[in-house]
Amino acid sequence: MAEATIEGRAASQPLRLQDDEPPQRTAAVAVGVKPAAPAEQDFSAPQRFEFTGTGSEYFRIWVVNLLLSILTLGVYSAWAKVRRLQYFYRNTRVAGAIFDYHGDPKAILKGRILALVLIAAYQISFDISVVAAVIVALILAGITPWLLARAFRFKMANSSYRGLRFHFRGTVGEAYRMLILFPVVLAFIGLFIWSIVVSYSHNPGIGVILLTTLLPLIALGVTVPLAHYCLKRYQHDNADYGRTPFYFHARASAFFKVYGKAVGFFFLGAIPAAVFGFLTAGLFAFLQKTIFGWLFALVYGLLNAYAFYLFVRPYLESRIQNLVWNNTELGMHRFESAARARSLLWIHASNLALITLTCGLYKPFAAVRLAKYRVESMTLVPSGDLDEFLADHCNDHAGAIGQEAGDLFDIDIAL
């Protein structure tokens, strides 16, 4: 009788479908068939990195950060950095989970105050005498490896994946052994920029131009690849995820090879630089006669340098990313990167054009666009079942690693 009553109700009342429920599932329930369980993700297969952020979302964060930083005379910039990094970390996904950033804005503010003090000390010493400026510059160069070590430790200790913190165990002593070339590189870069300004403002002879431009370039060509290799080796070989260390297998010769090929793109950049110089030569000659001639000379030189850089950057950016991550392992698991120079050239060139046309308003969209391409060029290749590896780490309470980073400070160093 009960079965007949149920059948009668079913016949008299049509089956109603929920708006958010597919018909197949509802039909299965109506006839008493148990729905099939969703297929579990296979974590033993290669896992592509994903970036889910959008330009419109980040634009709102960027505008608020900018306005509050201006209203607080830059004090809020430390909090703005945390909001920015949290947005990019939390929109980066691999193997079904996201990354997160836990940096303390107060620690970041300490680092920025320190940076301002160092810059002010150098500026004041330069106004006093050349000798004082040289002494302060040497002091700044001497503490650069220490600053890099602190920056790496802060960043890793405040980064997490699946709730588990990363850890950086590089010591200051190792930093001085591995990163001592960076002060030398910075000195050569400063000399190169100075030589460009002098060349355009004082119109020296060809001999002086060759001496002040080519010699710093040759020195940079020798020191930069080796310094970059030492930096990445120090950074990756001293990083851990939970209890599992990262390993870095690239050789210094591979960095020299990449930078050697980049030299060809540097000379290729001379073509747009020459066109730009030809089209603006008359304007530059006129502006140089004004009281702000030195400023125009500096801007003019930097624009020409950027014309070179626009060709070199995409190649170096793609090849270095591929070189570093294709030679990095997390325990037995490895990474793959397939970034392409042509794609990055289009992204950088179009981003620059759109930022210029929109008076800077496209900048957050450009940042998201670049991050999305670089992140989605990456793949994690597991050696075995990645799910068991992650479960084993998440059950361990190593997430407490890095809590001591609250006493540290962050230095903004983009490398």
Side-chain angles (χ1 to χ4, degrees), residues 138-287:
L138 291 175
I139 294 174
L140 294 178
I143 66 174
T144 297
W146 177 74
L147 292 174
L148 287 169
R150 296 292 289 253
F152 292 151
R153 187 180 178 191
F154 185 92
K155 182 177 180 180
M156 295 297 291
N158 288 289
S159 302
S160 68
Y161 174 68
R162 288 200 171 193
L164 179 62
R165 299 286 184 104
F166 291 84
H167 175 58
F168 187 76
R169 48 189 157 75
T171 65
V172 176
E174 290 177 305
Y176 274 94
R177 288 195 299 271
M178 298 292 292
L179 308 179
I180 196 62
L181 278 176
F182 263 86
V184 179
V185 170
L186 293 175
F188 282 132
I189 291 175
L191 181 60
F192 177 64
I193 295 175
W194 173 81
S195 67
I196 292 177
V197 174
V198 170
S199 298
Y200 280 104
S201 60
H202 294 88
N203 193 24
I206 187 65
V208 176
I209 294 177
L210 291 176
L211 184 64
T212 59
T213 305
L214 289 183
L215 287 182
L217 280 178
I218 294 172
L220 286 173
V222 174
T223 56
V224 168
L226 183 58
H228 204 167
Y229 162 74
C230 293
L231 171 76
K232 289 303 176 183
R233 183 176 175 182
Y234 174 72
Q235 187 178 15
H236 285 232
D237 264 344
N238 289 293
D240 297 325
Y241 174 64
R243 297 169 299 165
T244 304
F246 285 84
Y247 300 100
F248 188 61
H249 303 292
R251 297 178 178 274
S253 57
F255 281 79
F256 277 97
K257 184 177 180 181
V258 170
Y259 276 91
K261 290 183 178 180
V263 173
F265 290 94
F266 181 83
F267 286 107
L268 184 62
I271 298 174
V275 173
F276 176 79
F278 176 77
L279 295 176
T280 59
L283 177 63
F284 173 73
F286 170 76
L287 294 175

Side-chain angles (χ1 to χ4, degrees), residues 316-335:
L316 279 178
E317 196 172 322
S318 60
R319 294 301 187 269
I320 292 297
Q321 175 176 319
N322 296 343
L323 172 61
V324 169
W325 287 107
N326 288 338
N327 288 279
T328 298
E329 294 181 355
L330 173 60
M332 298 299 293
H333 310 291
R334 60 187 181 88
F335 298 88

Side-chain angles (χ1 to χ4, degrees), residues 300-347:
Y300 188 80
L302 291 177
L303 287 175
N304 274 275
Y306 190 80
F308 285 91
Y309 183 57
L310 188 61
F311 275 78
V312 178
R313 178 181 179 181
Y315 177 82
L316 279 178
E317 196 172 322
S318 60
R319 294 301 187 269
I320 292 297
Q321 175 176 319
N322 296 343
L323 172 61
V324 169
W325 287 107
N326 288 338
N327 288 279
T328 298
E329 294 181 355
L330 173 60
M332 298 299 293
H333 310 291
R334 60 187 181 88
F335 298 88
E336 289 182 354
S337 177
R340 300 179 59 191
R342 283 180 290 181
S343 299
L344 283 172
L345 175 60
W346 165 246
I347 290 173

Side-chain angles (χ1 to χ4, degrees), residues 186 235 373 398 401 413:
L186 293 175
Q235 187 178 15
Y373 178 78
I401 292 177
I413 301 175

Side-chain angles (χ1 to χ4, degrees), residues 19-241:
D19 293 338
D20 58 346
E21 190 174 16
Q24 295 84 352
R25 181 181 175 185
T26 308
V29 173
V31 296
V33 178
K34 184 179 180 180
E40 295 184 358
Q41 186 174 356
D42 181 13
F43 285 135
S44 63
Q47 304 294 317
R48 290 288 300 273
F49 282 74
E50 300 175 79
F51 187 79
T52 57
T54 63
S56 57
E57 287 179 346
Y58 181 54
F59 180 81
R60 294 191 289 271
I61 296 174
W62 178 80
V63 167
V64 173
N65 285 347
L66 179 62
L67 291 177
L68 290 177
S69 296
I70 294 173
L71 291 175
T72 59
L73 301 178
V75 174
Y76 185 79
S77 63
W79 282 260
K81 179 181 179 179
V82 171
R83 291 188 65 199
R84 172 174 58 84
L85 290 178
Q86 285 179 341
Y87 180 80
F88 281 93
Y89 274 55
R90 292 171 182 175
N91 281 284
T92 302
R93 175 185 300 269
V94 64
I98 63 172
F99 293 82
D100 203 353
Y101 182 75
H102 313 275
D104 182 5
K106 294 179 182 178
I108 295 174
L109 186 60
K110 292 179 185 177
R112 297 197 167 178
I113 292 174
L114 174 63
L116 288 175
V117 170
L118 295 176
I119 294 173
Y122 177 75
Q123 183 63 41
I124 293 173
S125 65
F126 192 84
D127 293 335
I128 295 174
S129 68
V130 177
V131 176
V134 171
I135 293 174
V136 173
L138 291 175
I139 294 174
L140 294 178
I143 66 174
T144 297
W146 177 74
L147 292 174
L148 287 169
R150 296 292 289 253
F152 292 151
R153 187 180 178 191
F154 185 92
K155 182 177 180 180
M156 295 297 291
N158 288 289
S159 302
S160 68
Y161 174 68
R162 288 200 171 193
L164 179 62
R165 299 286 184 104
F166 291 84
H167 175 58
F168 187 76
R169 48 189 157 75
T171 65
V172 176
E174 290 177 305
Y176 274 94
R177 288 195 299 271
M178 298 292 292
L179 308 179
I180 196 62
L181 278 176
F182 263 86
V184 179
V185 170
L186 293 175
F188 282 132
I189 291 175
L191 181 60
F192 177 64
I193 295 175
W194 173 81
S195 67
I196 292 177
V197 174
V198 170
S199 298
Y200 280 104
S201 60
H202 294 88
N203 193 24
I206 187 65
V208 176
I209 294 177
L210 291 176
L211 184 64
T212 59
T213 305
L214 289 183
L215 287 182
L217 280 178
I218 294 172
L220 286 173
V222 174
T223 56
V224 168
L226 183 58
H228 204 167
Y229 162 74
C230 293
L231 171 76
K232 289 303 176 183
R233 183 176 175 182
Y234 174 72
Q235 187 178 15
H236 285 232
D237 264 344
N238 289 293
D240 297 325
Y241 174 64

